[in-house]
Every structure is written in structure tokens, then in C-alpha cells.
Amino acid sequence: GNNMQKSALIKAMGVAFAAVAITACSSNSVDEGDALTTAQPVVVEEPTKKVEQVTLSAEELQAQADAQLREMTVFYFDFDESTIKNEAKAALTAHAKYLDANASAKVTLEGHADERGTPEYNMALGERRAVAVRRFLMANGADASQISVVSFGEEKPAAMGHTESSWAKNRRVEIKYTAK
């Protein structure tokens, strides 16, 4: 009969505990309510601002992120390459989305090369780079009519040195908005 007594005791304790929990809750909620009403201006002020920040909606947050990405307008290439690098793709996609959403926006893509190779070769390479960017923008929503391509070859270096670090800065395509 020992087990019966134990389970009866456990049941009784459970009921007692529940009763205590209920009264604790009800008396607490009244206290908290009072505390809230007295401290309301201070407590509520701060979090509401943060909540509004969060409720900006996914679209608005994405728009902010895209606007930030569009601040990147120079894209670099490897030696003798016109392949778009992976790290450029997010920003280029943001530019493409902007062009897609703003039919009147227009860009000029300026292709550049470093000084190595003949001027003719570098003119063609600069153009290949700009065309690669144009293709990427069009694949992501921009219209052909919004994009002009120009190559400066090696004529407009961003850096004047004759070292790899200068050359790396010169192998680039710059996006210039001619109309927003």
C-alpha cells in the first residue's frame, strides 16, 4: 500500500502547486499591470522605434541593401580575362535590378585594360570586358537600349605604376549612369 500513498501525495502536491501557481499568476499580473501603467512612457518608447525598424518590410530592406550595393561601380578583372568575378555579381545584379525597375535609367560601361599588350589588343580587351558586364546586366533584367559600351583600352589608367598592384586596378569596367 506504500505506492498508493505516494501517488496520492504526489497528486495532492500537484493540485496544491497548481493552486499556488494560479494565485501567483493572478496577483502578479495585477502588479505588473500597475508597474506598466506607471512606467509606460519610459518602457514603451524605446522598443517601438526598434519594432518599426524591423517592420520596414523585406522589400524596403532589400531596396536599402541594393542601393548600398549599387555604390560599387568599378569591377576588376584578372589578367587578360573578361570573366566577371564572383565577388562582383551581387553588385552587378543590384545595378541590373535598378535598370529593370527604372526604364529611363541609362549606363555607359567603360572597359579598361592594363598597359601590357599592344594598344589595339587592349582596346579589344577593354571592350570584351564591358560587353561581358553588359551581358550580365541584360541576363538580370536590364534592357539592351539602356546600356552603352565604350573601351578606353590602356589609355585611362586608374593607377600610374608599372607593378602588378597598379595593373590590377587598371583591369576594370566602370559603370557610369548617364541617366537615373
Side-chain angles (χ1 to χ4, degrees), residues 23-53:
T23 48
C25 285
S26 62
S27 71
N28 263 0
S29 65
V30 172
D31 294 350
E32 281 170 28
D34 291 345
L36 269 180
T37 32
T38 45
Q40 204 164 9
V42 183
V43 178
V44 177
E45 201 81 8
E46 193 64 43
T48 356
K49 283 194 191 111
K50 285 194 187 110
V51 170
E52 275 168 30
Q53 210 61 43

Side-chain angles (χ1 to χ4, degrees), residues 80-139:
D80 204 21
E81 281 290 332
S82 56
T83 310
I84 290 168
K85 295 184 174 192
N86 283 334
E87 58 263 32
K89 290 181 178 170
L92 285 173
T93 302
H95 284 288
K97 274 167 47 181
Y98 180 83
L99 291 166
D100 187 24
N102 299 278
S104 62
K106 291 191 183 336
V107 293
T108 297
L109 305 179
E110 301 182 346
H112 299 267
D114 68 33
E115 63 184 352
R116 293 171 295 174
T118 65
E120 298 75 19
Y121 182 85
N122 286 331
M123 201 58 100
L125 180 58
E127 185 170 354
R128 281 203 303 279
R129 286 172 175 159
V131 167
V133 171
R134 181 174 189 254
R135 260 192 232 117
F136 186 93
L137 292 174
M138 285 168 62

Side-chain angles (χ1 to χ4, degrees), residues 8-83:
L9 184 64
I10 289 168
K11 271 194 192 128
M13 280 170 63
V15 170
F17 180 75
V20 169
I22 290 165
T23 48
C25 285
S26 62
S27 71
N28 263 0
S29 65
V30 172
D31 294 350
E32 281 170 28
D34 291 345
L36 269 180
T37 32
T38 45
Q40 204 164 9
V42 183
V43 178
V44 177
E45 201 81 8
E46 193 64 43
T48 356
K49 283 194 191 111
K50 285 194 187 110
V51 170
E52 275 168 30
Q53 210 61 43
V54 175
T55 32
L56 258 183
S57 93
E59 291 80 43
E60 288 169 302
L61 289 169
Q62 186 59 55
Q64 284 181 357
D66 284 348
Q68 238 169 348
L69 282 168
R70 284 199 314 275
E71 288 173 20
M72 191 190 293
T73 56
V74 182
F75 301 92
Y76 298 98
F77 291 81
D78 288 330
F79 174 66
D80 204 21
E81 281 290 332
S82 56
T83 310

